[in-house]
Amino acid sequence: AEELLRLTKAQVDAGATEAIAATRAESRVADGRSALITAEGTVSTSAISLARALSLDPAAPVSASEALTPQLAANNLPEAHETAVALAQRQRPELLVSAETLSALESERRAARGARLPRIDGFADAGRTGQQLDDTTTTWQIGLQVTIPLIDRSRFDEASARYSAEQQRLRFTDLGMQITAEVRTALSALSTSRSRLVSTVDGLHLAEREVAEARTRFAAGVTGNLELIDAQRNLTNASVTELLARQQVAINQVRLARAVGAAAALH
């Protein structure tokens, strides 16, 4: 905007354009300064929010690192659907806990079932009895006992354990399907956001070329500064769009890492 104002003043001084063109350029500068103040305020509040998220002093300076790499090469996250789903099934902590809970309930069910089965106990005893060491008699005893439970709580304990195991198995299956859906959704969102980023980068390059051409035309006196103002505004919008697209790619990368259970590897 300041460059536009400089070019416009030169055109007005040379009599190549009207004074209203300088007024438009000054308005553009004022808009740019207002946008800059807003952006600086956003940076300041974002730094405070980041410090709070990291449990740091909000007054301490915080610098964000570079954005995540487009391919997540540093984290070795697979992007093939089957591989990513398999990794999530192995790494997601909630699924591991669910599997361990199911295993424990299955053990309880087997134990409760075993309490209802008939039980056979055997015993044997042998020794020597007598009042004198040289006058003893060998004695022995052997027995077998069969216990058949008829009326007890074991059958109810087995039913309760079976129902608990079945419920946990349903939760485990549903959780696995949910994790699979999360991984596939994250992969799809990441692919879409990358394609959108490519499109926005192309749009940014076109906007930059439009500004360059409009600046040349205005400097040559072929057109007024309205064309250059529009081109600069288009460039600003294209830059914001491209920035948001990059942000969305980074967000989807984090979501993919979370979906496969590798979010802790991100820095």
Side-chain angles (χ1 to χ4, degrees):
E2 291 175 346
E3 180 187 9
L4 172 65
L5 179 59
R6 179 182 59 80
L7 292 175
T8 302
K9 286 183 176 180
Q11 292 282 1
V12 172
D13 293 340
T17 188
E18 299 178 357
I20 191 175
T23 303
R24 297 194 196 103
E26 290 175 354
S27 176
R28 183 67 175 163
V29 171
D31 293 341
R33 287 174 179 168
S34 177
L36 180 59
I37 292 173
T38 301
E40 291 173 345
T42 302
V43 170
S44 178
T45 56
S46 297
I48 294 174
S49 299
L50 178 59
R52 289 291 298 158
L54 298 174
S55 299
L56 301 176
D57 182 4
V62 178
S63 298
S65 63
E66 292 295 327
L68 300 176
T69 58
Q71 301 298 330
L72 280 176
N75 302 286
N76 298 319
L77 290 181
E79 296 190 16
H81 284 247
E82 292 74 14
T83 306
V85 169
L87 180 62
Q89 297 288 340
R90 295 195 306 269
Q91 294 190 160
R92 284 288 289 267
E94 59 267 45
L95 190 62
L96 297 178
V97 171
S98 181
E100 292 175 357
T101 303
L102 177 59
S103 177
L105 291 175
E106 287 287 357
S107 298
E108 292 180 3
R109 182 188 64 80
R110 289 192 295 268
R113 182 185 180 187
R116 294 192 59 205
L117 298 176
R119 187 177 72 249
I120 300 177
D121 298 313
F123 61 90
D125 183 31
R128 300 182 67 83
T129 60
Q131 295 181 351
Q132 301 296 328
L133 292 177
D134 57 352
D135 184 16
T136 60
T137 302
T138 302
T139 62
W140 55 272
Q141 185 177 10
I142 188 170
L144 186 67
Q145 176 179 306
V146 178
T147 303
I148 301 177
L150 297 177
I151 301 177
D152 55 9
R153 290 188 52 84
S154 59
R155 67 181 64 188
F156 302 104
D157 293 339
E158 180 189 1
S160 177
R162 184 174 68 254
Y163 294 147
S164 297
E166 290 176 353
Q167 289 177 351
Q168 182 59 32
R169 186 178 295 104
L170 290 175
R171 296 191 190 100
F172 176 76
T173 302
D174 183 70
L175 181 58
M177 295 175 62
Q178 176 185 337
I179 289 175
T180 299
E182 290 178 2
V183 172
R184 291 185 175 275
T185 299
L187 286 172
S188 177
L190 180 58
S191 177
T192 301
S193 60
R194 283 175 175 169
S195 299
R196 186 177 295 113
L197 176 59
V198 173
S199 178
T200 58
V201 170
D202 293 339
L204 179 61
H205 292 163
L206 291 174
E208 291 172 346
R209 190 168 66 183
E210 179 185 5
V211 169
E213 293 175 354
R215 184 185 298 113
T216 301
R217 286 167 55 82
F218 178 64
V222 177
T223 184
N225 66 350
L226 283 178
E227 180 178 324
L228 182 53
I229 290 175
D230 289 339
Q232 288 181 336
R233 184 178 292 111
N234 292 338
L235 177 58
T236 300
N237 293 336
S239 298
V240 171
T241 302
E242 190 261 352
L243 175 61
L244 293 177
R246 291 188 181 278
Q247 180 188 40
Q248 193 59 49
V249 169
I251 290 174
N252 288 332
Q253 288 172 335
V254 174
R255 287 175 177 169
L256 175 60
R258 166 39 177 103
V260 299
L266 297 178
H267 301 283

